[in-house]
């Protein structure tokens, strides 16, 4: 149980780190100012390095497991969107105001550091791995500091309490997100029998669907109506 | 102007075709999002293409989607409904993810490009593949088109006869779930590689396998060609993709072959189970070739054509083409540079052009580098990035090439981010990592240190036509394919090319004949007098990432790997090592 928990956490963190690498790269490409481009680039680079570190921590553990378990933790970039680490609507920089984006980075780096503390506890019996995580935590703190600096330079009218408010808001958001997913899982369990009945009904209906309707044998494919979805 | 869209199933892509049948621009969504295999609605690509070409959405006459979405949605559901209750979760998943299937193209278009959704029309999926191949063919009348993929919107393989561009008649098809493409993907999955990504690895691994081994023989029995009905027959008992969203193969396949490979365990030729997995890969590769031969024979029988367009995801299987070209009735096989679904966006756009006219049929063969890009669009933006991380060796183009050629002679590896990008999946010089193809140490460093690739996957060689003829057995029928690296060939018997580091363990190589005037051609001109006639060429990217698109991506690869040199539109750069 404990072992699976570690694997889950490492897998999810790996995706989260890759997600932030892409977020930062997107911000880098969208910036017009050379210094910002440089800053975001360096941040993206760090996040790519974190991704790689987590990939190694994960493979070290899954390599020795039976393949049926290990397969669940296989890395697939499409998981980034499927699991919401990159929003379907686009990267944050594409959907947020720059100011909110930086505030988001500021608070999330701090929250990331906190969640790494939990990972440290999970792997405390592996000193080498703990060092890897500690290094990453230092990076995240540095990112947090840089975002703060940036924030205060470009939005000087903002007071520290407003930044704390951003953090508070993000913490609540994270908690609700977790709660939402927990509830979703619970609801799924409740609704499963209902879904199953529904799928049986659908399959009965599908008996009436004749696949020959889709046959295009001997027809000119260029003549099929372009407006038809069938 | 016409826009062709491919999305939701494999890597999304967009093409822009003008009123004269020219491919104006092409862009893959993964190039911009940097998410490998990104299949989401390609709004970044559409946006870029419109901006890049100074086009207002209002001037787009028609937007065409590369499949019939309702068929693509209903057919798998219908098949799954025959396997209730095992397929329960599959059906529930399909129903709940209705909004993520291709049916939602209309909604996404309305959301991101409001007002343009009314311009949307749909094309038969295999027709999209056929038109893509036709775009790259010199002969566009009285030829046969063969499409083999996983699953389009109706069938998994088809044969059509092209009387002319407006008359393309389908004369044979193979129905879902009997799919050669999905069979190969399930074996890819069994071997621990990601579906739609690891098929190349299976192909590379198969060269180590023994065709007479027990495992190869078992695999060879799982899918076959039925001579009575002339259909592909997959033994469904061993597969699950048609009734499960998680598993592509069934427990029966595990009973038959034992444990699937652990994806995290390195696969090295010296390992205990390496041979077993190589034999399985060999079985899959051999039966794929066998069935493709049957399809080609059947196509010849029913169309009497000697010229074949070949496309669909299975046409990415470059190692099968050599055997097909050797069939005595084959005169020519035309495989588009990107025969899979992302490339199908090109034929989809062409459909808009063809439908807009009944008499004009002058489609121009597109360039091998259709994705518009120039580093000058980023030069101000990346000024600090470049000056901080790199030393500019020279801005002068001729001098850049000259110094690059000297560095290659010294054993260095060069990354290129030069003007427009390739269609993919193969890098042909503009988004490449190149080194001396005969320098074993450089090739090994490129493959394993920079790209972190499995050692069983070979790196491809690039050379001029004359050199290719000297060392390799070229098939006349595949000449165009060698220019886009879509076919492999064998080394000549007793030739020294067998020992080249760019030759695979079975004596094959996925060669690229360089196009006159291309960057690799110019480099070879400079290096040939010094005895370097072959370059190793691989796409520039980090393992698991899409091929670089812009200069920032290239700088990232340099920053995260030992790659030291970048040849760009802005000049030749060397990384400052701190
Ligand atoms: Fe990080
Ligand atoms: Fe960070
Ligand atoms: Fe396809």
């Amino acid at each position: 149980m404990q072992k699976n928990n570690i694997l889950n956490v490492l897998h999810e963190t790996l995706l989260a780190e890759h997600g932030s690498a892409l977020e930062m790269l997107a911000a880098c490409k969208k910036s017009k100012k050379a210094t910002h481009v440089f800053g975001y680039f360096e941040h993206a680079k760090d996040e790519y390095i974190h991704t790689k570190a987590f990939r190694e921590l994960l493979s070290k553990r899954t390599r020795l497991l039976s393949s049926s378990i290990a397969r669940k933790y296989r890395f697939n970039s499409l998981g980034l969107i499927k699991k919401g680490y990159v929003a379907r609507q686009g990267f944050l920089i594409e959907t947020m105001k720059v100011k909110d984006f930086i505030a988001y980075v500021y608070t999330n780096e701090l929250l990331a550091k906190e969640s790494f503390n939990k990972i440290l506890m999970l792997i405390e019996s592996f000193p080498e791995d703990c060092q890897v995580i500690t290094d990453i935590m230092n990076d995240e703190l540095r990112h947090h500091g840089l975002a703060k600096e940036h924030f205060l330079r470009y939005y000087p009218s903002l007071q520290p309490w407003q930044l704390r408010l951003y953090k508070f808001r993000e913490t609540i958001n994270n908690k609700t997100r977790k709660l939402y997913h927990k509830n979703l899982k619970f609801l799924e369990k409740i609704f499963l029998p209902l879904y199953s009945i529904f799928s049986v009904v659908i399959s009965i209906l599908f008996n009436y669907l004749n696949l020959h309707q889709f046959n295009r044998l001997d027809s000119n494919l260029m003549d099929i109506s372009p407006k038809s979805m069938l | 102007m016409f826009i062709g869209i491919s999305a939701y199933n494999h890597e999304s892509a967009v093409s822009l075709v003008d009123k004269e049948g020219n491919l104006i621009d092409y862009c893959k969504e993964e190039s911009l999002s940097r998410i490998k295999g990104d299949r989401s609605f390609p709004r970044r690509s559409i946006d870029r293409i419109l901006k890049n070409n100074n086009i207002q959405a209002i001037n787009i006459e028609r937007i065409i989607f590369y499949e019939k979405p309702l068929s693509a949605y209903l057919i798998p559901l219908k098949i799954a409904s025959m396997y209730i209750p095992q397929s329960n979760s599959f059906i529930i998943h399909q129903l709940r993810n209705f909004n993520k299937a291709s049916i939602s193209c209309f909604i996404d278009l309305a959301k991101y490009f409001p007002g343009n959704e009314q311009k949307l029309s749909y094309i038969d999926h295999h027709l999209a593949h056929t038109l893509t191949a036709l775009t790259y063919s010199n002969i566009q009348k009285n030829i046969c088109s063969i499409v083999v993929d996983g699953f389009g919107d109706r069938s998994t393989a088809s044969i059509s006869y092209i009387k002319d561009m407006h008359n393309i008649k389908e004369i044979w098809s193979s129905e879902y779930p009997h799919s050669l493409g999905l069979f190969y993907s399930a074996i890819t999955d069994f071997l621990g590689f990601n579906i739609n990504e690891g098929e190349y690895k299976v192909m590379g691994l198969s060269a180590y396998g023994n065709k007479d081994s027990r495992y190869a023989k078992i695999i060879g029995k799982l899918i076959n060609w039925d001579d009575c009905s002339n259909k592909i027959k997959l033994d469904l008992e061993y597969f699950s993709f048609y009734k499960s969203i998680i598993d592509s193969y069934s427990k029966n396949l595990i009973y038959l072959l034992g444990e699937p490979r652990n994806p995290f365990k390195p696969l090295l030729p010296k390992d205990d189970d390496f041979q077993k997995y190589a034999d399985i890969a060999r079985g899959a590769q051999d039966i794929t070739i066998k069935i493709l031969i049957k399809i080609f024979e059947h196509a010849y029988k029913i169309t009497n054509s000697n010229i074949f367009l070949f496309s669909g995801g299975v046409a990415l299987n470059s190692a099968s083409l050599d055997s097909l070209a050797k069939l005595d009735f084959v005169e020519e096989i035309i495989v588009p540079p990107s025969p899979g679904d992302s490339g199908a966006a090109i034929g989809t756009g062409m459909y808009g052009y063809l439908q807009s006219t009944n008499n004009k049929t002058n489609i121009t063969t597109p360039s091998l580098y259709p994705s518009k890009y120039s580093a000058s669009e980023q030069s101000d933006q990346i000024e600090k990035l470049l000056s901080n991380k790199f030393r500019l060796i020279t801005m002068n183009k001729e001098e850049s090439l000259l110094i690059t050629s000297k560095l290659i002679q010294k054993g260095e590896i060069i990354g290129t981010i030069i003007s427009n990008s390739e269609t993919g999946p193969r890098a042909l010089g503009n988004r490449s990592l190149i080194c001396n193809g005969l320098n074993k140490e450089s090739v090994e460093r490129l493959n394993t240190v920079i790209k972190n690739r499995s050692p069983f996957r070979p790196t491809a060689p690039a050379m001029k036509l004359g050199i290719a003829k000297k060392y390799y057995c070229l098939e006349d029928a595949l000449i165009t394919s060698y220019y886009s690296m879509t076919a492999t060939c064998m080394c000549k018997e007793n030739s020294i090319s067998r020992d080249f580091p760019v030759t695979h363990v079975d004596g094959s190589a996925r060669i690229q004949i360089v196009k006159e005037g291309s960057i690799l051609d110019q480099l070879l001109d400079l290096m040939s007098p010094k005895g370097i006639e072959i370059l190793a060429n691989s796409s520039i990217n980090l393992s698991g990432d899409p091929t670089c698109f812009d200069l920032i991506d290239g700088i990232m690869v340099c920053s995260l790997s030992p790659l030291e040199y970048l040849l760009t539109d802005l000049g030749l750069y060397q990384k400052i090592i701190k």
Side-chain angles (χ1 to χ4, degrees):
Chain A
M1 189 59 205
Q2 167 84 348
K3 197 170 192 175
N4 279 355
N5 192 17
I6 297 178
L7 297 178
N8 270 331
V9 170
L10 290 177
H11 186 242
E12 296 294 323
T13 316
L14 155 61
L15 284 169
E17 292 292 325
H18 194 190
S20 358
L22 297 177
E23 292 285 359
M24 290 306 144
L25 188 62
C28 165
K29 291 187 180 189
K30 224 177 164 217
S31 299
K32 292 275 175 287
K33 224 175 158 178
T35 44
H36 294 181
V37 172
F38 184 77
Y40 286 131
F41 181 92
E42 288 294 299
H43 193 160
K45 191 184 102 189
D46 285 345
E47 300 299 348
Y48 271 118
I49 294 171
H50 300 170
T51 312
K52 192 172 172 230
F54 275 98
R55 197 177 295 191
E56 271 154 23
L57 290 179
L58 182 66
S59 348
K60 220 162 111 179
R61 289 164 172 79
T62 43
R63 203 174 285 162
L64 308 165
L65 298 174
S66 83
S67 76
S68 60
I69 299 174
R71 282 173 167 256
K72 287 187 211 151
Y73 303 101
R74 200 172 352 176
F75 179 73
N76 188 337
S77 314
L78 296 178
L80 290 169
I81 300 180
K82 221 184 273 172
K83 294 193 158 198
Y85 289 102
V86 172
R88 264 175 217 283
Q89 299 86 307
F91 291 116
L92 298 172
I93 195 77
E94 296 171 320
T95 53
M96 272 181 174
K97 284 189 192 127
V98 180
K99 184 175 145 191
D100 289 333
F101 174 71
I102 295 165
Y104 180 89
V105 175
Y106 164 83
T107 49
N108 263 280
E109 292 297 335
L110 209 57
L111 295 173
K113 200 219 140 222
E114 283 166 18
S115 71
F116 285 136
N117 272 326
K118 286 177 198 146
I119 303 180
L120 267 184
M121 265 153 38
L122 278 173
I123 57 164
E124 59 189 352
S125 44
F126 303 89
E128 269 170 61
D129 298 349
C130 287
Q131 189 51 50
V132 175
I133 304 279
T134 315
D135 290 346
I136 296 178
M137 276 164 81
N138 289 335
D139 276 351
E140 306 297 7
L141 264 185
R142 189 162 44 81
H143 297 159
H144 167 77
L146 287 172
K148 187 174 173 182
E149 209 176 279
H150 183 106
F151 212 78
L152 296 175
R153 179 173 334 150
Y154 290 95
Y155 305 97
S157 56
L158 269 165
Q159 298 299 313
W161 63 266
Q162 283 171 299
L163 283 177
R164 276 199 294 276
L165 194 69
Y166 268 116
K167 189 188 168 204
F168 180 68
R169 204 160 68 186
E170 203 43 46
T171 316
I172 298 284
N173 276 347
N174 277 349
K175 290 233 157 83
T176 6
R177 213 163 14 222
K178 272 183 197 149
L179 202 70
Y180 173 77
H181 281 288
K182 243 186 202 162
N183 277 335
L184 209 64
K185 273 190 187 149
F186 177 69
L187 284 177
E188 299 238 307
K189 267 187 198 142
I190 293 187
F191 280 116
L192 192 65
L194 216 81
Y195 278 138
S196 305
I197 295 169
F198 188 49
S199 92
V200 171
V201 173
I202 287 283
S203 61
I204 293 168
L205 287 175
F206 266 95
N207 275 331
Y208 296 98
L209 180 75
N210 188 347
L211 286 184
H212 289 295
Q213 286 166 349
F214 299 101
N215 206 325
R216 303 266 184 247
L217 225 51
D218 283 326
S219 62
N220 181 357
L221 300 177
M222 292 296 285
D223 280 347
I224 305 171
S225 159
K227 285 290 162 195
S228 156
M229 289 175 92
L230 271 176
Chain B
M1 291 283 189
F2 307 96
I3 279 184
I5 298 180
S6 140
Y8 305 100
N9 304 310
H10 295 271
E11 320 97 281
S12 309
V14 176
S15 72
L16 179 73
V17 173
D18 73 5
K19 284 187 169 180
E20 269 72 51
N22 301 302
L23 178 66
I24 302 296
D25 206 342
Y26 170 83
C27 191
K28 275 165 90 170
E29 191 69 359
E30 66 168 24
S31 299
L32 306 180
S33 73
R34 310 307 302 154
I35 298 173
K36 176 104 178 146
D38 194 347
R39 53 173 80 161
S40 31
F41 177 76
R43 83 197 139 74
R44 295 183 190 90
S45 306
I46 299 178
D47 213 36
R48 178 178 167 84
I49 278 186
L50 293 178
K51 281 194 188 127
N52 241 3
N53 298 282
N54 284 322
I55 295 170
Q56 304 283 321
I58 199 153
N59 295 328
I60 297 294
E61 208 170 296
R62 224 161 166 185
I63 299 169
I64 305 100
F65 185 67
Y66 84 141
E67 69 177 12
K68 297 280 187 188
L70 210 51
S71 314
Y73 185 74
L74 292 176
I75 293 176
L77 263 181
K78 159 84 186 176
I79 298 296
S81 72
M82 289 150 67
Y83 297 92
I84 276 276
Q86 299 126 281
S87 59
N88 217 342
S89 59
F90 181 96
I91 294 174
I92 294 172
H93 178 268
Q94 286 294 95
L95 295 173
R96 292 182 55 187
N97 287 283
F98 182 83
N99 59 338
K100 286 168 202 148
S102 64
I103 291 185
S104 62
C105 188
F106 182 87
I107 302 164
D108 283 333
L109 207 53
K111 187 163 148 199
Y112 297 112
F113 301 93
N116 287 285
E117 66 278 13
Q118 300 304 337
K119 298 176 189 167
L120 185 63
S121 40
Y122 309 94
I123 173 179
D124 178 88
H125 181 64
H126 281 196
L127 178 61
H129 278 306
T130 293
L131 291 177
T132 305
L134 197 59
T135 305
Y136 289 90
S137 169
N138 287 328
I139 307 161
Q140 295 171 331
K141 271 181 183 170
N142 302 319
I143 50 174
C144 171
S145 166
I146 295 174
V147 180
V148 188
D149 57 7
F151 167 64
D153 45 15
R154 291 180 293 118
S155 49
T156 63
S158 67
I159 300 172
S160 329
Y161 186 72
I162 302 167
K163 202 166 167 221
D164 60 58
M165 284 193 175
H166 293 278
N167 190 339
I168 300 174
K169 202 176 256 184
E170 180 168 298
I171 37 184
W172 173 86
S173 68
S174 164
E175 274 73 46
Y176 179 84
H178 297 276
S179 164
L180 184 56
L182 294 176
F183 155 79
Y184 206 89
S185 293
I187 300 298
T188 301
D189 187 21
F190 186 89
L191 291 173
F193 308 120
N194 284 351
I195 291 178
N196 294 336
E197 198 184 311
E199 282 79 358
Y200 282 117
K201 298 182 187 170
V202 177
M203 205 165 64
L205 183 60
S206 73
Y208 289 86
N210 175 356
K211 72 174 168 38
D212 298 317
S213 62
R214 186 171 80 90
Y215 288 111
K217 282 184 178 158
I218 294 174
I219 293 285
K221 289 189 183 123
L222 300 180
I223 185 165
N224 245 308
W225 175 268
D226 178 26
D227 279 316
C228 299
S229 60
N230 290 316
K231 292 273 177 188
I232 296 170
K233 285 271 177 270
L234 179 67
D235 198 336
L236 295 175
E237 226 186 290
Y238 297 97
F239 299 91
S240 292
F241 59 81
Y242 55 95
K243 53 183 182 187
S244 161
I245 37 159
I246 303 164
D247 303 315
S248 59
Y249 51 84
S250 72
K251 288 214 167 69
N252 292 333
L253 193 71
I254 302 178
Y255 295 140
L256 200 64
L257 301 172
E259 270 279 277
R261 190 180 81 83
N262 180 331
F264 291 92
K265 239 170 133 183
L267 191 56
L268 300 168
K270 57 177 176 32
D271 292 345
D272 291 346
D273 41 10
F274 180 85
Q275 199 53 48
K276 170 185 163 179
Y277 295 125
D279 289 345
I280 292 174
R282 178 62 190 259
Q285 183 60 27
D286 284 353
I287 190 67
T288 298
I289 296 178
K290 197 174 149 195
I291 290 174
L292 286 175
I293 290 176
K294 288 287 186 185
I295 298 176
F296 269 70
E297 283 173 346
H298 189 59
Y300 174 61
K301 205 168 104 190
I302 56 179
T303 64
N304 214 15
S305 168
N306 308 96
I307 299 169
F308 300 89
L309 305 179
F310 182 30
S311 57
V314 178
L316 285 162
N317 192 297
S318 52
S320 64
L321 291 178
D322 202 47
S323 309
L324 297 172
K326 285 191 168 73
L327 295 170
D328 53 15
F329 56 84
V330 170
E331 210 174 280
E332 194 177 358
I333 302 175
I334 295 120
V335 182
S338 175
D341 274 10
S342 54
I346 295 173
T348 306
M350 288 297 169
Y351 175 80
Y353 157 72
L354 288 170
Q355 287 290 324
S356 72
T357 163
N358 267 325
N359 42 36
K360 276 194 268 173
T361 47
N362 50 334
I363 285 180
T364 340
T365 306
S367 141
L368 290 172
Y369 312 92
S371 290
K372 280 190 185 166
Y373 172 78
S374 162
S376 57
E377 62 181 84
Q378 289 179 308
S379 54
D380 293 339
Q381 205 188 2
I382 56 175
E383 206 188 289
K384 183 171 175 197
L385 203 54
L386 273 177
S387 62
N388 203 283
K389 295 184 172 290
F390 291 87
R391 179 175 79 84
L392 174 67
I393 299 177
T394 172
M395 276 170 83
N396 180 287
K397 198 186 161 210
E398 280 77 43
E399 210 181 350
S400 293
L401 288 175
L402 192 70
I403 300 174
T404 301
S405 71
K406 284 183 182 156
L407 288 167
I408 291 175
Q409 283 167 47
K410 280 204 309 200
E412 295 292 351
I413 298 164
I414 313 287
T416 66
I417 305 280
I418 298 166
S419 80
N420 293 0
S421 144
E422 294 84 344
T423 334
R426 309 267 67 101
L428 303 171
N430 285 15
R431 296 292 182 281
S432 290
L433 288 168
I434 46 175
C435 69
N436 178 357
L438 301 192
N439 182 331
K440 195 164 181 259
E441 196 215 331
S442 301
V443 175
E444 243 170 50
R445 201 152 58 88
L446 187 159
N447 210 7
T448 52
V449 182
I450 297 189
K451 292 210 61 173
N452 196 14
R453 271 167 70 152
S454 344
F456 58 83
R457 289 179 68 201
T459 305
M463 68 206 82
K464 289 182 177 251
L465 177 62
I467 300 300
K469 282 183 175 164
K470 184 170 148 193
Y471 293 120
Y472 298 96
C473 305
L474 302 185
E475 289 295 333
D476 288 339
L478 291 173
I479 282 296
T480 51
S481 296
Y482 300 134
Y483 285 87
S484 55
M485 235 194 233
T486 41
T488 62
C489 60
M490 295 302 287
C491 289
K492 282 193 170 164
E493 230 171 284
N494 303 322
S495 157
I496 51 162
S497 57
R498 295 238 161 209
D499 300 321
F500 289 169
V502 283
T503 300
H504 204 13
V505 63
D506 61 350
S508 70
R510 197 185 56 223
I511 65 160
Q512 176 195 356
I513 297 176
V514 297
K515 232 188 167 81
E516 236 183 89
S518 66
I519 207 78
L520 297 186
D521 184 53
Q522 294 176 50
L523 281 171
L524 284 166
D525 276 339
L526 292 167
M527 288 185 299
S528 303
K530 303 275 188 290
I532 298 180
E533 296 169 316
I534 296 178
L535 289 167
N537 175 12
S538 185
S539 58
I540 178 168
N541 61 294
L542 294 167
S543 158
D545 269 2
T547 302
C548 292
F549 180 68
D550 63 17
L551 202 43
I552 293 181
D553 301 331
I555 300 173
M556 189 59 87
V557 171
C558 277
S559 304
L560 292 169
S561 78
L563 178 65
E564 221 177 298
Y565 295 96
L566 263 189
L567 180 61
T568 75
D569 299 328
L570 307 175
L572 178 64
Y573 287 87
Q574 181 182 18
K575 182 165 77 181
I576 300 169
I577 297 167
K578 285 172 184 161

